[in-house]
Amino acid sequence: MDIKEEIQRLKKEKNALILAHNYQIPEIQDLADFVGDSLELSRKSAGQDVDIIVFCGVVFMAETAKILSPACKVLIPSIEAGCFLADTISGEDVRKLREKYPEAVFVAYVNTSADVKAEVDICCTSANAVKVVESIPRERPIVFLPDRNLGKYVIEKTGRDNIILWEKGYCYVHELISPEMVREAKEKYPGALVIAHPECRPEVLAMADAVASTSGMIRFAEQSSAKRFIICTEKEMVYRLRKDIPSKEFFPVSEKALCRMMKKITIEGLYDSLKQEQYEIDLDADIIDRARRSIERMLEVV
Ligand code: 13P
Ligand code: SF4
């Protein structure tokens, strides 16, 4: 049996759509119907006319697809594919923060559980965090959660001094990228521009020529006159960039920048997922309704 052909056959038979995040392994990216960043994947999963969505990414992304397409059966090939950053905050934590800051507008990065999305006013992704915050009247205080690095980047870009951050929130993959690594990569690849994800530390962002979401990196590299780029994010992003823009060169800042959770998704797991229709994302109708409001508000702003 050719497992890739079987996946294509099952996909047709079951009227399924395969969505994959840019950090997925190359084989999964090649098999998917659509590969993108969190914002693109949210848009793509909204109102799909299919019976099944198989989400090759992490659980919060599959939950977002379920929230936006509740009539679809949404599957994730590994239920263990969590997100370290999303796990730093719970719905209960947000309720406590609401008591502490009753005047504030609550903005949640999409890297959060459905429970957290249900408790906040509006969501954002790395592609639109600045725009979402700018859509909120300047005099209103904001609680921005959970990623402290993205939050600091938003503070710098908007010049607002009334944003409260969730200091416990960071992504270990991006936190390990150091200024030293960037310096070494610049020496190794002279003339290369540095593109960094806003989950990186402020010291790293300060060294970057561009700060962008994963798909924003593709747009920047396409439009730039430069020919080589150092990529400060999860290492698989380089596969997507090399595939989309073969005329330019891309180098991961470090092979160590690897999201173990994204790598829980394998070709065999994807096949089993389609065949056995596992693991299904199941959310309470009330959580879906409340979380959808936060995501839709974001989609209206951008
Ligand atoms: P993007 O939305 O930029 O793809 O980022 C998602 C993510 O998990 C980054 O670590
Ligand atoms: Fe979560 Fe970080 Fe993995 Fe992105 S790279 S999914 S933020 S753990």
Side-chain angles (χ1 to χ4, degrees):
M1 172 183 86
D2 179 327
I3 196 162
K4 292 181 185 170
E5 280 176 18
E6 257 319 277
I7 288 171
Q8 298 293 3
R9 190 189 63 74
L10 281 168
K11 201 182 76 173
K12 276 204 193 97
E13 182 187 300
K14 301 201 176 206
N15 187 27
L17 179 79
I18 302 176
L19 299 181
H21 185 263
N22 288 321
Y23 296 161
Q24 288 293 294
I25 55 169
E27 293 83 348
I28 298 270
Q29 292 195 31
D30 291 346
L31 265 170
D33 295 298
F34 182 79
V35 186
D37 68 6
S38 309
L39 180 61
E40 292 171 333
L41 291 166
S42 303
R43 287 212 171 105
K44 205 75 192 171
S45 54
Q48 277 293 342
D49 189 22
V50 289
D51 296 317
I52 295 178
I53 295 176
V54 188
F55 209 112
C56 298
V58 290
V59 170
F60 79 80
M61 295 177 177
E63 284 185 348
T64 305
K66 181 70 188 174
I67 292 163
L68 292 171
S69 261
C72 277
K73 189 179 238 188
V74 177
L75 306 174
I76 184 158
S78 168
I79 203 67
E80 289 173 1
C83 165
F84 176 88
L85 170 61
D87 289 346
T88 64
I89 192 159
S90 65
E92 183 55 28
D93 290 326
V94 183
R95 284 192 287 278
K96 283 191 189 139
L97 283 169
R98 282 259 188 216
E99 280 169 25
K100 198 166 166 196
Y101 304 106
E103 302 294 310
V105 177
F106 277 63
V107 181
Y109 189 28
V110 73
N111 294 42
T112 44
S113 65
D115 286 355
V116 167
K117 290 184 178 80
E119 296 294 336
V120 300
D121 300 301
I122 187 164
C123 287
C124 72
T125 74
S126 58
N128 61 26
V130 173
K131 275 194 187 144
V132 165
V133 166
E134 277 173 344
S135 76
I136 298 164
R138 253 192 121 71
E139 65 283 2
R140 293 289 306 275
I142 291 173
V143 173
F144 186 96
L145 52 89
D147 190 68
R148 65 184 184 207
N149 291 338
L150 178 63
K152 285 175 191 162
Y153 176 70
V154 168
I155 291 173
E156 194 205 308
K157 285 283 152 193
T158 60
R160 289 176 77 131
D161 58 6
N162 54 357
I163 300 182
I164 298 138
L165 301 178
W166 177 247
E167 285 296 338
K168 285 188 222 164
Y170 67 93
C171 159
Y172 75 97
V173 181
H174 291 86
E175 193 78 6
L176 73 74
I177 299 172
S178 64
E180 191 49 40
M181 284 177 182
V182 180
R183 260 191 296 278
E184 276 171 23
K186 282 176 88 148
E187 270 170 34
K188 199 165 162 195
Y189 309 113
L193 295 190
V194 176
I195 315 180
H197 194 277
E199 285 175 24
C200 291
R201 284 144 54 177
E203 314 87 88
V204 169
L205 297 185
M207 298 171 81
D209 297 287
V211 176
S213 75
T214 55
S215 290
M217 292 181 176
I218 304 170
R219 290 186 286 276
F220 176 81
E222 264 166 358
Q223 285 158 17
S224 168
S225 57
K227 292 276 176 253
R228 28 178 28 204
F229 302 86
I230 294 159
I231 303 301
C232 300
T233 192
E234 214 272 350
K235 72 179 192 92
E236 224 71 76
M237 188 61 216
V238 165
Y239 174 73
R240 174 81 207 270
L241 286 158
R242 286 177 181 156
K243 186 176 166 182
D244 277 28
I245 319 175
S247 59
K248 298 190 178 184
E249 287 182 290
F250 299 94
F251 311 103
V253 69
S254 166
E255 290 289 335
K256 287 188 198 139
L258 182 142
C259 177
R260 291 192 299 274
M261 298 306 179
M262 287 279 178
K263 304 310 181 242
K264 298 258 179 206
I265 313 293
T266 60
I267 289 285
E268 292 73 20
L270 171 56
Y271 169 75
D272 287 343
S273 178
L274 267 167
K275 194 168 161 65
Q276 320 284 358
E277 300 192 12
Q278 66 191 21
Y279 297 90
E280 186 172 355
I281 301 291
D282 184 23
L283 297 171
D284 281 355
D286 169 59
I287 295 283
I288 290 184
D289 273 355
R290 288 161 55 217
R292 190 172 53 228
R293 278 200 290 271
S294 308
I295 300 169
E296 282 177 351
R297 277 190 205 119
M298 164 185 87
L299 295 174
E300 278 161 22
V301 166
V302 286

